[in-house]
Amino acid sequence: RHTMTTFSESKPKPSQPLSQPTPTQPQRPNPSITAISWTGGKDCNLSLLHAHRDPSLDVRYLVVFRVNEKSFLAHPIPFMEAQAKSLGLELLFVDIPQDTNDYMQAYIDGIVNLKVGYGIEVITTGDMDLVGTMERNWMERCCEGASIRVHLPLWKKNREDVLEELLDEGFRIMFSCVKSPFFDGSWIGRMLDRNALEEMKVIADRKLTENEKESGVKELDLCGERGEYHTMCVDGPLYRWEVMLEREERAKEIVMESKWEGNIHNAKKIWTICLKESGATKEENGG
């Protein structure tokens, strides 16, 4: 069984691609060609909006960094492709070899290829804080190695302020991956609205159990910076049409039985969205 999740348009959409100047995007001579480090989630969408409004930047590309052309459970590639079409931006992929002994050099090499092949001078990312044991921002270090600039418009911002800004700007954001012990499968497909925010604030304020502390669980970061949850944006100020998707009725549940390095939140269970292959945008459906 599957369910069709659709959203109705509530505002007019710009007729031109995002890369063209608009009244909210004043241009100065020779703005820097910019790419957004992209997952399709809330943070990169908000950083895109900040970059779009910066007259020193010329946003042209969305860039996905992935290992060996692998898909993303939390951020399905077909969804990112549909977002790129609605935004009028080219979606690029940087594939990182899985067997590399030096992930940072692989990232640097990929960024250098972006610089040479597309003239990219700046990479904007929605990172807000350091992850795990890192002492410096990962993308900042990689861009430094490739001799291009990194733009971090959300760095060290108050988490609640970021979520309020997303809601105030009119973004429509859907939970695509959530983790225990703070969430369960009922959150998948739910919209991140003010009701959800209030629930998350209550969760963030609760005390952890001794077992949770011993297993390495930290308090909920409201923006999910430790990987507690992930999102996909279905609409926003820069989208020319709302992204539609067809998904499985039930969330996919994954029990974490092994120590996976990416499980920085130390979750025991993860729930993710599952898209049907027929998912499409309104434009492709003639809507």
Side-chain angles (χ1 to χ4, degrees), residues 217-264:
V217 174
K218 307 295 184 183
E219 294 81 2
L220 173 65
D221 184 296
L222 276 181
C223 284
E225 283 297 285
R226 285 188 286 270
E228 298 96 327
Y229 71 92
H230 299 277
T231 60
M232 293 299 287
C233 183
V234 301
D235 200 4
L238 303 178
Y239 285 75
R240 294 178 292 169
W241 56 80
E242 204 166 50
V243 176
M244 296 173 65
L245 60 97
E246 190 178 17
R247 64 181 179 89
E248 299 287 351
E249 186 174 0
R250 294 176 63 88
K252 180 178 181 180
E253 180 178 316
I254 303 171
V255 178
M256 302 302 295
E257 297 179 345
S258 61
K259 188 66 176 178
W260 170 52
E261 290 184 1
N263 187 19
I264 59 174

Side-chain angles (χ1 to χ4, degrees), residues 15-123:
S15 58
Q16 69 270 35
L18 176 59
S19 57
Q20 298 299 315
T22 71
T24 60
Q25 186 190 31
Q27 296 290 291
R28 75 174 192 180
N30 302 318
S32 301
I33 297 174
T34 301
I36 311 298
S37 180
W38 197 251
T39 65
K42 58 180 177 40
D43 304 334
C44 62
N45 270 274
L46 186 56
S47 67
L48 165 62
L49 183 62
H50 279 261
H52 172 70
R53 290 174 174 169
D54 187 333
S56 71
L57 303 177
D58 176 12
V59 179
R60 298 189 188 181
Y61 306 103
L62 309 175
V63 177
V64 179
F65 292 86
R66 61 181 178 178
V67 176
N68 266 19
E69 300 186 7
K70 283 189 175 180
S71 60
F72 302 94
L73 292 176
H75 306 287
I77 288 175
F79 205 122
M80 289 191 270
E81 291 171 339
Q83 290 174 318
K85 289 179 182 178
S86 180
L87 290 165
L89 292 173
E90 186 174 354
L91 185 66
L92 306 176
F93 293 91
V94 173
D95 292 313
I96 307 299
Q98 187 171 13
D99 58 354
T100 181
N101 294 320
D102 191 339
Y103 273 95
M104 177 165 289
Q105 188 59 51
Y107 267 78
I108 291 172
D109 292 344
I111 294 171
V112 168
N113 289 337
L114 293 174
K115 177 181 176 182
V116 173
Y118 297 91
I120 292 171
E121 303 167 277
V122 177
I123 291 182

Side-chain angles (χ1 to χ4, degrees), residues 65-220:
F65 292 86
R66 61 181 178 178
V67 176
N68 266 19
E69 300 186 7
K70 283 189 175 180
S71 60
F72 302 94
L73 292 176
H75 306 287
I77 288 175
F79 205 122
M80 289 191 270
E81 291 171 339
Q83 290 174 318
K85 289 179 182 178
S86 180
L87 290 165
L89 292 173
E90 186 174 354
L91 185 66
L92 306 176
F93 293 91
V94 173
D95 292 313
I96 307 299
Q98 187 171 13
D99 58 354
T100 181
N101 294 320
D102 191 339
Y103 273 95
M104 177 165 289
Q105 188 59 51
Y107 267 78
I108 291 172
D109 292 344
I111 294 171
V112 168
N113 289 337
L114 293 174
K115 177 181 176 182
V116 173
Y118 297 91
I120 292 171
E121 303 167 277
V122 177
I123 291 182
T124 294
T125 175
D127 294 345
M128 295 182 212
D129 216 327
L130 297 175
V131 177
T133 59
M134 292 183 183
E135 297 181 356
R136 286 183 62 197
N137 176 264
W138 173 264
M139 191 59 71
E140 184 178 36
R141 294 174 64 191
C142 293
C143 287
E144 184 178 277
S147 298
I148 72 171
R149 185 160 64 92
V150 69
H151 176 221
L152 298 159
L154 308 185
W155 190 249
K156 295 296 184 180
K157 281 204 167 187
N158 177 275
R159 307 297 199 263
E160 186 175 349
D161 289 348
V162 169
L163 295 178
E164 289 287 354
E165 183 180 0
L166 282 159
L167 296 175
D168 289 343
E169 291 285 0
F171 284 98
R172 303 197 70 195
I173 303 156
M174 180 185 65
F175 289 92
S176 60
C177 177
V178 297
K179 302 177 183 179
S180 65
F182 303 122
F183 303 97
D184 59 32
S186 68
W187 286 77
I188 297 299
R190 181 176 174 180
M191 302 306 292
L192 201 171
D193 54 18
R194 284 195 161 78
N195 288 333
L197 174 55
E198 290 304 313
E199 287 185 46
M200 290 164 60
K201 287 162 64 175
V202 172
I203 295 172
D205 288 340
R206 81 164 175 83
K207 300 295 184 181
L208 296 177
T209 67
E210 289 303 316
N211 285 339
E212 288 170 347
K213 291 179 182 178
E214 290 175 5
S215 65
V217 174
K218 307 295 184 183
E219 294 81 2
L220 173 65

